[in-house]
Amino acid sequence: MTGRTKTMLAALALAAGIAALVLVPLLLNRYGLYILSMWAIMSIAAIGLNLTLGYAGQVSLAQGAFVGIGAYAAAIITTQGWPLVAALVVAVALCFVIGWLLGYPALRVQHHYLAFVTLAFSTLAYLVFRNEEWLTKGIYGITGVPRPTLFGWPLAAPLRFYYFCLAALGIVFAGAWWLVRSPWGRAFMALRENPMRAMSLGVDTRRYTLMAFAIGSSLGGVAGVLYAPLVEFIDPTPFTLGLSLNLLMMVIVGGSGFLFGPLLGALISVLLPEWLRFSEGLYLIVYALFVMILLAWSPTGILGIVDRYLARRRARAASAARSAAMPEALP
Amino acid sequence: MKTVLEVENLGKHFGGITAVDGVSFQVREGEILGIIGPNGCGKSTLFNCVLGQLQPSQGEVRLDGRVVTGMRPCDLNRLGVSRTFQLLQVFPQLTVRENLILAGQEHQGSMTRRLFGRRDAGLTEAAERMIAFFKLGHLAGEKAGGLSYGQQKLLDAAMAFMAGPRLVLLDEPAGGVNLTMLALLKERLQAINAEQGATFVVIEHNMDFVMSLCTRVLVLAEGRVLAEGTPDEVRANPKVIEAYLGH
Ligand SMILES: Nc1ncnc2c1ncn2[C@@H]1O[C@H](COP(=O)(O)OP(=O)(O)OP(=O)(O)O)[C@@H](O)[C@H]1O
Ligand SMILES: [Mg+2]
């Protein structure tokens, strides 16, 4: 295959995927649309975590907390009569700053120590959601979170709100694509693979680490801002450590460090419980088994398998081309 | 000749171990200084203390007369000092070309400009030139992790030269490299030294390589400077023969 046909094929696959995401929901009922909207929202949060973890190599068990911060910001601000855009600005700014600060421990500790630090933050955020009743209404939660209007166009209907989430996902995905291909993306990967060497080549690892946390966290906030009007009721329960772990799973199962990884991981995480609903309580066991087998086989997730397959095929094609080019050199 | 780098009374202890014990030397502009000495005599630790990877326990490092002791490696690198490590250090998941572009990108503009400005202006061309110079042409699009050891070693050295440094510190560039590649490496280093006036400090165990490449040699033993001089002087020095060359 030439590079040209490969690009064509990739573009075709992408177009087919987008068409499916736009057209299939026309056939779905309310609940199906809710599930797909949830997928789009979780994908946004997972894309953020993929930047921090998959590209920059910084473990975080706090992404769920940032979704919570975004959701509470949206719930509090929009129930006061402000538009969702205002909540978006506040949530992104807040999560960016808090994410930046959370990056500081990463300058001193790595791997499982960093996981513990971010886990502690996650717990702290949950306690704030539950106990600061003057702000969050505590365990009673905030009811009646309104769905937004876009330029005077109400988005309350499930299908419209789904398209709204899908458009947001499209923008976030394009932004991540743009970032990963920029010099920053390259510096993030250098940070992941060899921080000491990166530093010796002039990469200010400290600033890039903080940026990776800040950007990834603010995308968690964006997801939260969409989550609140989707479920229309916000209380602390969804934002326990479980959500952070779930987001981590999405990134790892899909393939961390691959742009499409979080989308795939989120799809599995959101759809699998639906498919396995007949199995009742067995769902978690099946999911856990699936994750364990997958990671034992391919630590880089599903897209890691695809990537290795393509690399092998490329190598075989290259060696075939070489031996075809110099047949007399063979014994 | 101008002095580029001055190291004065530098020391480094690890707990009870004294790895570097009051080392002083100067590096003059345009020279190729060799550093030799037995295993574990503190050569790599000396580099790490000079370049900010480690905080020295004592002493001072000056670049062009300016004190740079304990400066962060990335800031030092942007002042035109670059290095390689003893153990291979390339970014395995990036391609050869990306490794080289990365090695040059932080020397252009501000962090904001690197995100929003024109991307990699001139860097792709510079990387291609470096790839041709180190004869890595057929590998430009390959992931660095898939290259042979010697090829990665060449790439590692090429990365140190990407930003056109004035001073380059190489820790065992010849280790594990075969004879053909070794000749290539030496020829490349000499060419960069002659054409761009870059100054080198090279740690190496390969005596033929050091003695034919370097203009001056510093001998370390047990964390101290044992001798210093031209390759011939050092080879003839009885103390050096006893401590290092003679065994
Ligand atoms: N991080 C460290 N912690 C404790 N001791 C160390 C550390 N790094 C080096 N050392 C000790 O310092 C001494 C000098 O080590 P160094 O790596 O500088 O030697 P070297 O001259 O580069 O040796 P070689 O030729 O084998 O590379 C050794 O005794 C080593 O064990
Ligand atoms: Mg060494």
Side-chain angles (χ1 to χ4, degrees):
Chain A
M1 246 191 295
T2 64
R4 187 75 159 276
T5 47
K6 229 185 288 179
T7 319
M8 285 274 288
L9 269 180
L12 224 64
L14 196 66
I18 293 172
L21 286 174
V22 171
L23 296 177
V24 169
L26 292 171
L27 310 170
L28 291 177
N29 62 13
R30 230 185 153 76
Y31 186 67
L33 288 169
Y34 175 85
I35 293 292
L36 265 194
S37 305
M38 191 60 89
W39 163 75
I41 291 168
M42 287 303 140
S43 292
I44 292 173
I47 287 173
L49 183 57
N50 192 32
L51 289 176
T52 316
L53 172 76
Y55 284 94
Q58 309 295 315
V59 183
S60 169
L61 282 179
Q63 191 69 347
F66 288 105
V67 177
I69 293 172
Y72 269 102
I76 294 166
I77 289 170
T78 59
T79 49
Q80 300 294 318
W82 291 79
L84 195 66
V85 210
L88 183 69
V89 173
V90 170
V92 167
L94 198 61
C95 291
F96 190 91
V97 171
I98 298 175
W100 177 278
L101 294 176
L102 191 63
Y104 275 89
L107 304 174
R108 320 219 75 223
V109 298
Q110 286 280 304
H111 310 301
H112 46 289
Y113 295 108
L114 185 55
F116 285 133
V117 173
T118 55
L119 187 148
F121 172 75
S122 204
T123 310
L124 181 74
Y126 176 76
L127 289 177
V128 171
F129 299 150
R130 206 190 58 187
N131 297 343
E132 299 304 311
E133 288 182 13
W134 60 275
L135 187 66
T136 65
K137 301 228 172 72
I139 50 168
Y140 301 107
I142 300 171
T143 50
V145 181
R147 293 214 172 152
T149 56
L150 193 67
F151 305 120
W153 213 54
L155 299 172
L159 185 65
R160 281 188 189 178
F161 191 75
Y162 163 71
Y163 283 138
F164 179 60
C165 293
L166 186 64
L169 173 60
I171 293 168
V172 167
F173 184 84
W177 180 82
W178 175 79
L179 180 67
V180 163
R181 266 156 193 71
S182 76
W184 280 35
R186 212 180 287 124
F188 284 158
M189 288 185 258
L191 196 63
R192 171 188 75 194
E193 299 197 358
N194 195 336
M196 192 159 80
R197 181 58 167 150
M199 183 101 108
S200 81
L201 293 168
V203 177
D204 192 333
T205 48
R206 180 212 294 253
R207 277 164 92 182
Y208 279 110
T209 304
L210 296 177
M211 271 297 169
F213 266 99
I215 296 172
S217 306
S218 57
L219 288 182
V222 172
V225 167
L226 294 170
Y227 180 89
L230 174 69
V231 299
E232 300 176 297
F233 166 71
I234 292 299
D235 75 339
T237 37
F239 310 116
T240 53
L241 184 61
L243 180 58
S244 291
L245 288 173
N246 209 344
L247 286 164
L248 186 69
M249 276 302 152
M250 293 179 201
V251 172
I252 292 175
V253 166
S256 73
F258 296 99
L259 268 173
F260 280 97
L263 274 65
L264 191 60
L267 194 67
I268 292 170
S269 162
V270 171
L271 285 188
L272 210 61
E274 301 305 316
W275 290 338
L276 296 176
R277 207 204 279 272
F278 64 89
S279 69
E280 311 248 317
L282 288 181
Y283 151 65
L284 269 180
I285 297 174
V286 175
Y287 186 47
L289 277 176
F290 166 74
V291 169
M292 285 193 305
I293 293 168
L294 174 72
L295 292 187
W297 183 29
S298 168
T300 46
I302 296 175
L303 290 184
I305 300 174
V306 177
D307 189 55
R308 278 200 302 279
Y309 169 75
L310 291 178
R312 257 205 306 277
R313 250 190 36 178
R314 230 179 2 250
R316 219 173 308 150
S319 75
R322 264 201 304 276
S323 51
M326 41 172 189
E328 63 272 53
L330 291 170
Chain B
M1 236 186 310
K2 220 181 107 205
T3 302
V4 185
L5 183 75
E6 287 169 274
V7 173
E8 201 177 295
N9 194 28
L10 199 81
K12 179 71 190 174
H13 316 286
F14 295 107
I17 301 172
T18 303
V20 179
D21 190 6
V23 170
S24 302
F25 65 95
Q26 301 189 339
V27 183
R28 299 171 205 139
E29 189 161 41
E31 77 172 334
I32 305 183
L33 174 69
I35 297 184
I36 61 173
N39 289 120
C41 72
K43 304 181 294 298
S44 299
T45 307
L46 178 64
F47 265 22
N48 289 337
C49 288
V50 168
L51 292 161
Q53 263 84 26
L54 290 174
Q55 288 291 331
S57 315
Q58 64 176 61
E60 197 168 88
V61 181
R62 287 188 292 273
L63 184 69
D64 298 322
R66 173 182 166 198
V67 178
V68 295
T69 323
M71 190 186 260
R72 289 193 305 163
C74 57
D75 297 327
L76 211 49
N77 178 252
R78 278 180 289 203
L79 291 177
V81 184
S82 85
R83 74 168 299 179
T84 64
F85 291 83
Q86 177 165 3
L87 295 176
L88 195 59
Q89 307 253 9
V90 297
F91 302 100
Q93 292 292 321
L94 302 185
T95 65
V96 168
R97 191 181 287 114
E98 286 167 341
N99 266 278
L100 288 166
I101 294 176
L102 175 83
Q105 71 175 33
E106 301 296 320
H107 292 256
Q108 293 189 334
S110 65
M111 221 166 132
T112 330
R113 278 271 279 290
R114 278 194 285 286
L115 189 61
F116 297 108
R118 227 185 101 218
R119 286 177 179 184
D120 304 334
L123 275 179
T124 320
E125 297 75 18
E128 293 307 331
R129 278 198 300 277
M130 197 56 81
I131 285 166
F133 192 77
F134 277 89
K135 299 199 162 67
L136 294 166
H138 54 300
L139 300 165
E142 298 287 318
K143 284 194 175 166
L147 269 53
S148 80
Y149 184 86
Q151 289 166 337
Q152 291 190 36
K153 204 86 189 175
L154 283 183
L155 173 61
D156 199 5
M159 281 158 71
F161 294 116
M162 243 324 261
R166 310 162 43 223
L167 175 63
V168 189
L169 286 77
L170 303 166
D171 197 345
E172 301 197 20
V177 175
N178 75 30
L179 286 178
T180 330
M181 285 222 195
L182 202 59
L184 175 68
L185 183 65
K186 191 162 90 184
E187 177 207 320
R188 299 290 102 172
L189 295 187
Q190 278 166 332
I192 291 171
N193 177 249
E195 288 161 20
Q196 294 164 22
T199 309
F200 288 89
V201 183
V202 184
I203 293 176
E204 203 26 85
H205 285 296
N206 182 324
M207 279 307 132
D208 293 339
F209 187 81
V210 174
M211 296 302 180
S212 58
L213 177 70
C214 298
T215 43
R216 208 155 61 89
V217 177
L218 190 75
V219 188
L220 292 190
E222 292 172 15
R224 293 164 195 263
V225 177
L226 186 71
E228 191 180 341
T230 63
D232 289 330
E233 286 166 3
V234 162
R235 247 190 305 234
N237 186 319
K239 277 194 293 186
V240 177
I241 293 169
E242 188 195 340
Y244 186 48
L245 297 177
H247 57 75

